[in-house]
Amino acid sequence: MGESPAPGLLKVMVVQGKRLVIRDFKSSDPYVVVKLGGQTAKTKVINSCLNPVWNEELSFSLSEPVGVLNLEVFDKDRFKADDKMGHAHLSLQPIISAARLRQIIGASSGETTLRKVVPDSDNCLLVESSISCVNGEVVQSVWLRLCGVESGEIELKIKLIDPPVAPLR
């Protein structure tokens, strides 16, 4: 039996939300829950804000097969269940394959664009997203359109550190 490769590390920076839906009287108190496989992390609550800026970094360990990053936005309520404010998902396959490409071409310093991901039915991208190698780290900036709600977008910056890779023979 071969050893399974060490898990990689995925850092998800929840940057900001735009045009989130109103769930309280005039506003919402949004927070974001991010899930990868069985791992869950969440941001702090920002009170009375429909264009919140979190700038919060959440970390996940990555293992094969790499799944999909799921994200849900909720409105924090004190007296009843938190209201849903939309959800989105992002396939991590593009950033993983870009990381493998980086290993093959050996990009380590400066900034190199490895690939672009266009919005399609497999993702919730609002606009085209590029995956770059910046000083040896593989990073992707995305704007995700929230599903299941009238409006709302979330900006994430994803950083892949030590991706799970099969050893080169």
Side-chain angles (χ1 to χ4, degrees):
M1 288 198 26
E3 280 184 39
S4 62
L9 183 63
L10 185 77
K11 288 191 178 280
V12 178
M13 167 78 84
V14 180
V15 182
Q16 61 177 329
K18 284 258 173 78
R19 302 185 315 113
L20 299 181
V21 289
I22 295 173
R23 285 292 181 255
D24 288 337
F25 181 53
K26 286 196 190 99
S27 188
S28 292
D29 306 318
Y31 66 95
V32 181
V33 176
V34 182
K35 290 183 182 151
L36 178 61
Q39 306 168 78
T40 302
K42 63 183 185 187
T43 66
K44 61 184 177 288
V45 174
I46 296 190
N47 290 326
S48 304
C49 189
L50 298 177
N51 295 296
V53 175
W54 286 281
N55 277 331
E56 225 173 302
E57 193 173 72
L58 310 172
S59 294
F60 299 90
S61 62
L62 265 187
S63 50
E64 290 284 7
V66 174
V68 170
L69 197 65
N70 284 299
L71 170 148
E72 281 186 282
V73 185
F74 290 97
D75 167 44
K76 182 78 186 143
D77 277 322
R78 193 170 303 158
F79 301 113
K80 56 187 176 44
D82 293 354
D83 294 314
K84 290 187 172 188
M85 293 174 65
H87 57 90
H89 63 273
L90 178 71
S91 168
L92 295 174
Q93 212 46 60
I95 194 168
I96 294 290
S97 48
R100 296 206 169 121
L101 174 68
R102 177 191 77 90
Q103 284 197 319
I104 294 164
I105 61 176
S108 61
S109 61
E111 189 166 337
T112 314
T113 299
L114 297 167
R115 70 179 284 185
K116 292 202 180 311
V117 186
V118 294
D120 66 18
S121 59
D122 279 349
N123 61 41
C124 296
L125 290 178
L126 191 66
V127 289
E128 183 180 88
S129 160
S130 63
I131 302 174
S132 306
C133 176
V134 181
N135 298 326
E137 293 182 323
V138 179
V139 294
Q140 180 178 16
S141 260
V142 293
W143 274 100
L144 297 176
R145 179 184 284 118
L146 294 173
C147 307
V149 280
E150 308 87 306
S151 71
E153 292 118 39
I154 296 283
E155 183 186 10
L156 301 179
K157 284 191 168 44
I158 297 172
K159 194 185 289 183
L160 194 54
I161 297 162
D162 303 329
V165 283
L168 298 169
R169 305 241 177 273

